[in-house]
Amino acid sequence: MNYASFVSADGSPTWGIIADGQAYDLGPSGANLAHTLRAAVEQGIFGTVGEEYRNAPSRAEAVIEFLPAVTDPGKVICIGVNYRSHQEESGKTEQKAPTVFTRFADSQMGHLQPAQMPATTTKFDYEGEVALVISKEAFHVAEEDAFDYVAGYAAYNDLSVRDWQLAASQWIPGKNFPGTGGFGPYLVPAADLGDVNALTLETRVNGDIRQKASVSDLYFTIPQLIAYVTGFTKLSPGDVIVTGTPGGVGLFMEPSGLLSEGDVVEVEITGLGTLKNTVELVS
């Protein structure tokens, strides 16, 4: 089942289920099951809605404005250089612990919303990734229990302003410009996907394949990431972990594969749909 956050017919944020080309409104402007998708996760509603969703108000998926899959996460924790292919192209191999940085929730945008390239950079880059959303309070989680704390998965594009990212040892500035965290289009319950390691991620720029990898190629696995992150911070329902990007980013391509105004970036992941954003130059 594909869940999503989007703008309702009255212009307010809402959430619901996308099925058969229709967006069914389960938020305050519709069936009012929960205020937000994050609240639905917290209340245990996410992933449990039955066929009654078809009685909710609906509109064609083609006309809705998508919002980030989870619009209001308390924490967005991102993992750097976490596929072997990306470690090799960046020269950062044999890591002893995950590389962790934070992304602010207000830097995110939804499917089909513009990826905002700041006019001050010439090094705007894509990073297709798998994101997971936490289902319940998580602190000091053991690896063997980690999947019990995953509500669902979504596609993510951790767009990076490389000159700001690489100006110092801390990456946060280059990862938090407005409109640079693509998240969606859907949040799919973990129970609907089976083995997450069998999923394939593919990133395309103007139709050309730039990245392609299996989730099984992660250097630090999803259980290892959850155990590590919850070892130092408590996570709450709706919090997000973005698991890392494969090799093939624009920065290391010859000639350069960095993004320009008008480029269309798609991140497609098995079972999670295709996240699409077009680069827009902003001052």
Side-chain angles (χ1 to χ4, degrees):
M1 191 77 74
N2 294 334
Y3 289 73
S5 297
F6 51 92
V7 177
S8 71
D10 65 12
S12 60
T14 192
W15 68 279
I17 287 175
I18 312 294
D20 303 321
Q22 293 290 309
Y24 294 87
D25 189 343
L26 304 182
S29 52
N32 200 23
L33 299 186
H35 188 68
T36 64
L37 188 48
R38 174 188 174 183
V41 171
E42 188 172 25
Q43 296 169 26
I45 296 170
F46 175 76
T48 68
V49 179
E51 288 297 311
E52 66 270 17
Y53 76 83
R54 296 187 183 276
N55 297 322
S58 67
R59 289 183 296 149
E61 178 182 4
V63 304
I64 65 169
E65 178 184 350
F66 282 91
L67 298 172
V70 178
T71 58
D72 55 345
K75 295 176 183 175
V76 182
I77 305 292
C78 299
I79 310 299
V81 286
N82 195 32
Y83 281 82
R84 290 171 178 83
S85 56
H86 189 37
Q87 291 177 346
E88 291 166 1
E89 71 179 0
S90 63
K92 297 178 179 178
T93 58
E94 303 301 323
Q95 295 185 72
K96 304 302 182 186
T99 299
V100 178
F101 59 93
T102 56
R103 178 177 277 281
F104 308 138
D106 64 1
S107 71
Q108 299 184 132
M109 74 285 193
H111 172 58
L112 299 179
Q113 293 185 328
Q116 298 181 29
M117 176 180 173
T120 55
T121 188
T122 58
K123 295 183 177 180
F124 196 49
D125 209 350
Y126 53 86
E127 292 191 13
E129 312 198 20
V130 173
L132 65 88
V133 174
I134 295 295
S135 62
K136 56 188 176 182
E137 188 173 285
F139 194 46
H140 294 164
V141 174
E143 286 183 33
E144 57 266 29
D145 299 325
F147 282 124
D148 293 339
Y149 291 81
V150 179
Y153 297 91
Y156 208 97
N157 193 346
D158 181 39
L159 290 148
S160 304
V161 183
R162 296 294 193 195
D163 37 6
W164 280 80
Q165 177 192 353
L166 302 175
S169 61
Q170 301 299 315
W171 295 358
I172 292 174
K175 299 288 190 170
N176 281 288
F177 278 75
T180 60
F183 188 14
Y186 315 121
L187 180 64
V188 179
D192 292 357
L193 288 173
D195 181 9
V196 68
N197 289 313
L199 304 186
T200 297
L201 180 156
E202 182 175 286
T203 305
R204 298 182 293 271
V205 178
N206 301 326
D208 296 329
I209 297 173
R210 298 287 186 86
Q211 297 178 296
K212 189 164 187 176
S214 169
V215 175
S216 63
D217 295 336
L218 284 170
Y219 187 76
F220 294 104
T221 67
I222 287 172
Q224 287 174 326
L225 294 178
I226 293 172
Y228 185 80
V229 171
T230 63
F232 69 84
T233 189
K234 184 180 292 184
L235 298 180
S236 299
D239 287 349
V240 180
I241 297 178
V242 188
T243 59
T245 199
V249 298
L251 181 68
F252 298 113
M253 291 181 65
E254 292 291 344
S256 171
L258 293 165
L259 297 170
S260 300
E261 184 177 16
D263 283 344
V264 178
V265 186
E266 297 171 290
V267 180
E268 182 175 3
I269 302 173
T270 314
L272 302 181
T274 301
L275 170 66
K276 181 177 180 180
N277 303 98
T278 300
V279 177
E280 177 182 281
L281 191 65
V282 295
S283 57

